[in-house]
Amino acid sequence: MDARIVKLKEINDRFEELRKQLEDSAIVADPKKVMQLSKEQARLKEGRDAYLEFKQLNEDIESAKELLASDDEEIKELAKEELALKEAALAKINDKIDELLLPKDPEDDYDCIVEIRGAAGGDEGNIFAGDLFRMYSYYAESLGYKVQVMEASESEAGGYSQITFMIKGNGAYRHFKFESGAHRVQRVPKTETQGRVHTSTATVYVLPDVEEADIEIPDSDLEIETHRASGAGGQHINKTDSAVRIVHKPTGITVNCQDGRSQMANRETALRIIRARVYEEMARRKAEAEGAIRRSKIGTGDRSEKIRTYNYPQNRVTDHRIGLTINQLDRIINGKLDDIIKALLEDEQKHKLLDGNV
């Protein structure tokens, strides 16, 4: 049997095994286990569906071939038409199977944490950070994902000096992982009196929301302290030590959360963010030590790396990593990112094929 189909059969068998486990009353009573198994089942569904379609198409083709031996000319003609349709469908599913079985980044199926900061350009950079947050929110919603703000510092002029949010949904990281880097906007700011085009930037940082099981961080590595939140927030925010700051001592990574309604909520958010950042840092160090930067991961994710330009006067968006230009900025800034993300995913797949990772 084709090795690809053997692999798909294994996926199908595991999917069915998970289905039975999720019907087990002992497992149903454990919400954490149910979530873990449900996520695994969701990751396998596309492969399982492809396997079932492949099997059905082959059965249909065999049936059509048998009918070709009929003495009835009308039946033979119908069988020829059916055979042509099914063989065309089989060719398509074979292409899909090849794509499905390409190695995936292990983080692809995770939820993701996105941090946006206003950078060069002062108020205009912060306003642009707000525009990017809105763009990503609309795109996430179009994919059926949920957006949850974790931490935000609003700018007086509008937008955000910094906003961190989570995107929840199977495959979220896969769709947003390419967004890390510097995003540049060229437009006439509202405060510009002479109509001159200004260039401003906002930086984006995307992290997989890893599970506790994916990275072990000893309590001794963390320095946790509480303090009074700063900024607007009324009596509660000024009179209680609800803000939480966590430092990962081995790397120096620091997270400060103060927007939650309680110290417990801020602590949980800060731990989640620090876990994601430490995981990413450990992965980066491992890649450096092995002398291997994954070509499949477009760009370095460095905040200083200019990845995309949004030119308002020309209604143009350019992704500099793959040389893609689209003259529909008005649609893209409103969340219609499909064409850009699809091109980036295709480029990632092309590099995997060139690297022989099939």
Side-chain angles (χ1 to χ4, degrees):
M1 187 185 293
D2 186 337
R4 301 172 314 139
I5 308 309
V6 170
K7 179 63 177 175
L8 283 185
K9 185 179 184 305
E10 291 172 359
I11 290 172
N12 178 70
D13 293 346
R14 177 59 180 161
F15 185 93
E16 290 302 314
E17 182 184 339
L18 289 168
R19 183 181 60 77
K20 290 175 183 176
Q21 288 184 35
L22 287 166
E23 292 173 353
D24 187 322
S25 57
I27 289 176
V28 170
D30 183 350
K32 192 171 182 180
K33 187 69 174 175
V34 169
M35 182 177 293
Q36 178 188 345
L37 296 180
S38 296
K39 281 187 174 182
E40 183 183 354
Q41 191 182 51
R43 289 196 296 268
L44 298 176
K45 187 177 185 303
E46 199 171 7
R48 180 249 193 181
D49 290 348
Y51 174 72
L52 294 179
E53 186 176 351
F54 177 86
K55 274 187 66 179
Q56 186 61 56
L57 284 169
N58 275 285
E59 290 173 11
D60 293 345
I61 286 171
E62 288 305 312
S63 297
K65 285 180 177 178
E66 288 175 10
L67 290 174
L68 286 176
S70 172
D71 294 331
D72 188 317
E73 289 300 322
E74 188 175 345
I75 290 177
K76 284 175 71 172
E77 193 59 36
L78 289 172
K80 284 181 183 178
E81 292 177 9
E82 178 74 2
L83 186 61
L85 287 172
K86 297 300 180 183
E87 286 181 338
L90 184 63
K92 283 186 179 180
I93 198 65
N94 269 310
D95 288 342
K96 185 174 183 179
I97 288 170
D98 287 338
E99 182 181 337
L100 285 172
L101 294 181
L102 279 172
K104 293 182 180 178
D105 282 347
E107 302 97 348
D108 271 3
D109 295 317
Y110 284 122
D111 298 338
C112 65
I113 295 171
V114 183
E115 178 189 284
I116 306 174
R117 290 180 181 270
D123 288 343
E124 179 63 12
N126 294 338
I127 292 169
F128 181 49
D131 294 338
L132 291 177
F133 169 63
R134 185 170 61 93
M135 177 182 76
Y136 291 140
S137 296
Y138 287 159
Y139 179 55
E141 289 166 9
S142 75
L143 295 171
Y145 297 154
K146 292 182 179 178
V147 175
Q148 176 188 331
V149 175
M150 304 174 79
E151 191 76 6
S153 298
E154 294 185 11
S155 168
E156 290 184 7
Y160 302 91
S161 58
Q162 179 269 330
I163 182 167
T164 303
F165 55 100
M166 183 180 296
I167 300 174
K168 296 183 176 182
N170 187 48
Y173 183 68
R174 178 174 182 261
H175 284 92
F176 286 86
K177 64 183 177 181
F178 303 118
E179 296 306 298
S180 289
H183 294 243
R184 181 174 69 173
V185 63
Q186 295 173 325
R187 63 185 175 189
V188 179
K190 293 177 182 177
T191 54
E192 170 59 51
T193 57
Q194 297 181 31
R196 293 175 298 185
V197 173
H198 289 225
T199 297
S200 307
T201 61
T203 61
V204 178
Y205 191 29
V206 182
L207 298 164
D209 179 37
V210 297
E211 305 291 341
E212 286 183 58
D214 294 315
I215 180 168
E216 185 178 345
I217 303 178
D219 291 342
S220 58
D221 282 356
L222 299 177
E223 182 180 297
I224 303 176
E225 61 180 43
T226 59
H227 60 96
R228 292 187 182 180
S230 59
Q235 290 184 331
H236 172 75
I237 203 167
N238 292 321
K239 291 188 176 182
T240 63
D241 290 340
S242 60
V244 175
R245 180 182 295 111
I246 300 180
V247 179
H248 182 251
K249 290 184 281 188
T251 61
I253 293 171
T254 302
V255 172
N256 185 73
C257 287
Q258 65 178 37
D259 281 5
R261 297 186 65 83
S262 67
Q263 185 184 117
M264 184 178 294
N266 283 323
R267 181 187 176 94
E268 183 180 337
T269 297
L271 282 170
R272 197 152 200 165
I273 296 172
I274 205 106
R275 190 165 61 233
R277 288 186 179 172
V278 171
Y279 178 87
E280 185 80 355
E281 175 63 14
M282 293 299 103
R284 185 192 67 78
R285 291 184 181 186
K286 182 181 178 183
E288 275 190 1
E290 294 173 351
I293 301 298
R294 286 178 295 172
R295 290 179 63 196
S296 59
K297 197 164 186 177
I298 298 173
T300 64
D302 191 306
R303 292 173 190 265
S304 64
E305 181 187 12
K306 182 184 71 178
I307 65 166
R308 196 174 297 149
T309 295
Y310 304 73
N311 185 299
Y312 275 75
Q314 297 179 23
N315 196 34
R316 184 186 73 227
V317 176
T318 299
D319 194 290
H320 303 288
R321 296 161 296 179
I322 56 175
L324 175 69
T325 295
I326 300 176
N327 292 306
Q328 295 180 338
L329 179 134
D330 52 340
R331 292 181 67 255
I332 290 165
I333 205 68
N334 281 305
K336 306 297 184 183
L337 277 167
D338 304 77
D339 290 342
I340 292 177
I341 302 303
K342 181 182 177 184
L344 290 164
L345 286 168
E346 287 175 351
D347 193 76
E348 177 189 50
Q349 182 177 324
K350 179 184 72 176
H351 283 302
K352 285 179 178 177
L353 290 168
L354 289 172
D355 289 342
N357 293 327
V358 181

